[in-house]
Amino acid sequence: MSAENDQAVVSEGDVRQIASLARLRLDERTIKALTGELNGILEHVRVLQTLQSADMNDGDGTAAKPGPVVLRDPSAQAEPLPPGSVERIAPDWREGFFVVPRLPALDQGAVKESTP
Amino acid sequence: MTDGLSASELAATVRSGKIEPGTVVAEAAQRAKIADAGAKGLNAFLSVQEEAPSVPDGALSGVPVAVKDNLCTLTLPTTCGSRMLEGYVSPFEATVIRRLRTAGGVVLGKTNLDEFAMGSSTENSAFGPTRNPHDLTRVPGGSSGGSAAAVGAGVVRCALGSDTGGSVRQPASFCGVVGIKPTYGRVSRYGLVAFASSLDQVGTLGATVEDAALLLQVIAGHDPRDATSASRPVPDLMERMYDGVEGLTIGVPREYFAEALDSQVRQCCDTGLERLRSAGAKVVEVSLPNTRYAVPTYYVLAPAEASSNLARYDGVRYGSRAANAESIADLYEASRTSGFGREVIRRIMLGTFGLSAGYYDAYYGKAQEARRRIARDFAEVWAAGSDLLFTPTYPTPAFPLGERLEDPVSMYLSDVYTVTANLAGIPGISVPIGAVGDLPVGGQFLAPHWEESRMIRAAAALEALMASEVRPIAWDTARELGKRM
């Protein structure tokens, strides 16, 4: 990612790229506005760059580490969802499956060609 | 009939059979409807329970509780204040809701919030802003603004919220009520719609310290369905509530009393500290030198976690789906773009940026380091002898609706006194300490991990010491609002 000027951390091109990563489709007006807003926020966040890792040493000279990872007891199961509940909240559901738009690859005969 | 009764008094009355729970709930539902009605209504509730279920005997028998609409309930929708989840009814319920019902409590309704709990004003809701019951031209704070307004208007005695960076304590301060953020891990997050999982914690709001503490007592405790919920037992949070502050050492961090603090809010804090001192507390100045990193750290880590947590909303399994998508990628993008509001998109973008290749170390990595430094600051003041810390909850009283909507940086910077507790995982409580004109002001106690009892004890003492300075809960606000219909 590149900066368009000395002050900016992100450019409009960067914002388009971030939106693509985040699965968002933004119009040009929103991209322009967000570019300014993100740079304004990142300007305040920049103070974190002054942190030196050495400052994080504990008294014994070792770097402070996060606590241990706690795992959920595998015997604790979520309750089974009531029958029909997934179907009820699904935007589109047919014969036990979530329905989504047809993959373009299927229209190109990809499956047929790969079938022995 | 139930006006003025505390939550525990109300529950005792219901248990004694002197009043039917259905009557209590009907009265509260009527207050909610009146308070919210009309263009100048509070807009605190997104849905209200019409029927009172039968309730078991318990600490909250028949007590109506307002519930933030990011906690999953079986009978009412859980929208998170978002078009993305408009009309969504969860197939399972949050552990805190189950515990509330087991104790006899009744979910009166679901309350408005900033979309997915992202905000400090409850203006970012897809269903319109909530208004402050003490001044209808001002915000109630956020993101648990609907819950705070419902308690502040006298619709209910207590409510549930969630606190990721101050979202229970700040609206409590603005609405003149009490708000508790427990230690991270004290309360189960199962069924709380995730925003930033390492910071999120369910909290309680109450008309008094006792009301908020009672609700916390009911919902706290280990839950095997939440790996981050602590297995340690929950003490009696109210056993020593009225023991006073004599003998306690209360630290006052100098970094929380800097230039950004409104002079009249500072005056309220100074008065509070003077009364704590006169009641036998030892007040000492302390330093939390890494406070300056707190807001930047929060606004790197929370959006990063949010960008990951909100990736699940893609229009496939539940939630809003854009019509006429031509491909699966098209479905994802169109559904997310139309389903999320402006602030949520801003934070997803910020979080995605902070986690992206080339920027991860400079932003996310540095923020993780800063978070450990902030936690160490607190550990050092506890080790040096402070039992608690006292700070303002927010630099100003409630601000006018719309004032900061176009200035996210200004909105974010004001979270400086509350985000540190979330970053360090420690408990905090906001309690009314005075007013600036008609606007309530809150003061905050922070405590070491798992020391909610000590914090509640000090807050109850301060509540009594400041009673003459504090704007009363607007018990008749709902009726007053009704006259404007």
Side-chain angles (χ1 to χ4, degrees):
Chain A
M1 296 179 185
S2 60
E4 286 183 334
N5 58 56
D6 290 343
Q7 297 299 313
V9 177
V10 293
S11 66
E12 290 182 16
D14 295 333
V15 170
R16 283 190 199 91
Q17 170 68 8
I18 298 165
S20 172
L21 291 170
R23 299 283 195 187
L24 294 167
R25 184 185 300 155
L26 307 179
D27 59 34
E28 286 304 307
R29 187 176 164 196
T30 306
I31 287 170
K32 192 174 182 62
L34 271 173
T35 303
E37 290 166 5
L38 292 183
N39 279 311
I41 295 164
L42 293 171
E43 173 64 26
H44 284 273
V45 169
R46 195 174 287 177
V47 67
L48 293 175
Q49 311 305 318
T50 66
L51 271 174
Q52 299 299 315
S53 293
D55 293 344
M56 284 305 302
N57 286 349
D58 280 339
D60 61 359
T62 58
K65 293 285 193 298
V69 174
V70 181
L71 300 176
R72 183 166 54 192
D73 177 357
S75 66
Q77 299 292 324
E79 284 184 10
L81 295 175
S85 60
V86 175
E87 181 177 356
R88 180 171 52 78
I89 61 176
D92 197 356
W93 174 269
R94 204 177 306 152
E95 298 174 5
F97 294 95
F98 296 101
V99 179
V100 296
R102 186 176 174 83
L103 293 172
L106 295 176
D107 294 328
Q108 295 163 11
V111 172
K112 188 176 181 181
E113 288 170 10
S114 65
T115 303
Chain B
M1 189 170 181
T2 58
D3 283 4
L5 292 180
S6 71
S8 63
E9 289 169 342
L10 187 53
T13 307
V14 170
R15 286 194 302 271
S16 72
K18 290 177 183 168
I19 187 169
E20 289 295 319
T23 305
V24 178
V25 174
E27 280 187 11
Q30 182 66 10
R31 286 197 297 268
K33 285 184 177 177
I34 292 172
D36 274 358
K40 291 285 181 73
L42 292 180
N43 195 28
F45 286 86
L46 297 178
S47 56
V48 174
Q49 184 81 42
E50 298 289 343
E51 297 174 10
S54 61
V55 299
D57 277 355
L60 290 174
S61 289
V63 175
V65 179
V67 173
K68 188 175 182 178
D69 203 22
N70 61 352
L71 287 161
C72 290
T73 48
L74 290 170
T75 56
L76 294 172
T78 300
T79 70
C80 291
S82 179
R83 294 283 175 218
M84 182 62 84
L85 290 176
E86 188 170 11
Y88 168 73
V89 180
S90 172
F92 66 99
E93 72 178 347
T95 295
V96 294
I97 301 299
R98 179 173 299 184
R99 289 184 176 168
L100 173 73
R101 293 194 303 104
T102 302
V106 178
V107 176
L108 177 67
K110 304 295 285 294
T111 56
N112 203 5
L113 68 159
D114 287 297
E115 185 177 3
F116 285 101
M118 297 180 195
S120 309
S121 65
T122 316
E123 295 172 291
N124 296 325
S125 169
F127 307 110
T130 295
R131 297 169 183 273
N132 190 309
H134 293 272
D135 181 342
L136 296 171
T137 69
R138 292 179 183 259
V139 302
S143 62
S144 309
S147 287
V151 178
V155 174
V156 288
R157 286 297 297 210
C158 47
L160 289 174
S162 65
D163 192 315
T164 304
S167 285
V168 163
R169 291 161 288 155
Q170 185 255 25
S173 170
F174 280 15
C175 291
V177 303
V178 175
I180 301 177
K181 183 209 97 72
T183 305
Y184 184 83
R186 178 65 92 188
V187 178
S188 170
R189 292 183 297 110
Y190 181 80
L192 168 66
V193 178
F195 161 16
S197 305
S198 79
L199 302 161
D200 294 338
Q201 189 66 186
V202 178
T204 63
L205 300 105
T208 63
V209 174
E210 182 190 307
D211 290 333
L214 176 64
L215 184 53
L216 176 58
Q217 186 81 60
V218 165
I219 65 169
H222 178 60
D223 177 10
R225 294 193 178 111
D226 174 5
T228 62
S229 95
S231 56
R232 64 175 55 221
V234 182
D236 184 339
L237 299 175
M238 293 180 288
E239 186 177 20
R240 300 189 61 197
M241 181 158 37
Y242 298 112
D243 280 4
V245 292
E246 188 163 5
L248 288 180
T249 298
I250 297 173
V252 180
R254 68 173 70 98
E255 292 82 2
Y256 286 56
F257 289 80
E259 304 83 48
L261 180 60
D262 178 277
S263 61
Q264 291 176 287
V265 173
R266 184 188 183 111
Q267 181 59 47
C268 291
C269 290
D270 289 344
T271 304
L273 284 167
E274 189 52 46
R275 294 197 185 168
L276 287 168
R277 201 179 279 120
S278 66
K282 180 182 176 187
V283 176
V284 297
E285 186 180 84
V286 299
S287 177
L288 299 168
N290 290 295
T291 300
R292 70 191 184 107
Y293 298 119
V295 171
T297 298
Y298 180 82
Y299 280 99
V300 170
L301 298 182
E305 294 186 30
S307 71
S308 173
N309 275 326
L310 271 61
R312 72 190 67 178
Y313 301 104
D314 55 11
V316 173
R317 289 153 299 168
Y318 59 96
S320 172
R321 169 181 285 199
N324 304 319
E326 293 180 352
S327 69
I328 191 71
D330 189 29
L331 176 71
Y332 292 158
E333 292 187 353
S335 298
R336 288 167 61 78
T337 306
S338 61
F340 291 138
R342 184 64 185 274
E343 179 64 21
V344 172
I345 285 178
R346 185 187 290 139
R347 296 202 194 193
I348 289 174
M349 293 287 288
L350 188 58
T352 304
F353 169 77
L355 293 174
S356 61
Y359 288 87
Y360 181 93
D361 289 340
Y363 288 91
Y364 191 80
K366 288 286 187 183
Q368 290 284 37
E369 286 190 8
R371 182 177 188 173
R372 291 195 287 273
R373 285 178 72 146
I374 289 163
R376 196 171 61 187
D377 278 356
F378 283 108
E380 287 175 357
V381 295
W382 310 136
S386 290
D387 297 306
L388 297 164
L389 298 178
F390 180 76
T391 79
T393 305
Y394 200 75
T396 66
F399 47 86
L401 285 157
E403 183 183 82
R404 301 188 187 181
L405 264 182
E406 300 304 318
D407 187 1
V409 171
S410 168
M411 190 89 90
Y412 298 171
L413 288 174
S414 295
D415 295 338
V416 60
Y417 303 146
T418 51
V419 295
T420 50
N422 302 80
L423 291 168
I426 60 174
I429 184 170
S430 179
V431 60
I433 56 169
V436 175
D438 289 338
L439 302 174
V441 170
Q444 176 181 236
F445 286 105
L446 300 172
H449 292 90
W450 317 114
E451 294 292 348
E452 285 91 349
S453 299
R454 189 189 300 165
M455 180 179 86
I456 286 167
R457 170 184 159 198
L462 187 59
E463 180 179 56
L465 292 165
M466 303 303 288
S468 61
E469 313 293 329
V470 171
R471 273 183 65 79
I473 292 288
W475 288 113
D476 55 357
T477 295
R479 292 188 189 87
E480 289 299 314
L481 286 165
K483 291 175 187 171
R484 302 176 200 184
M485 289 168 60

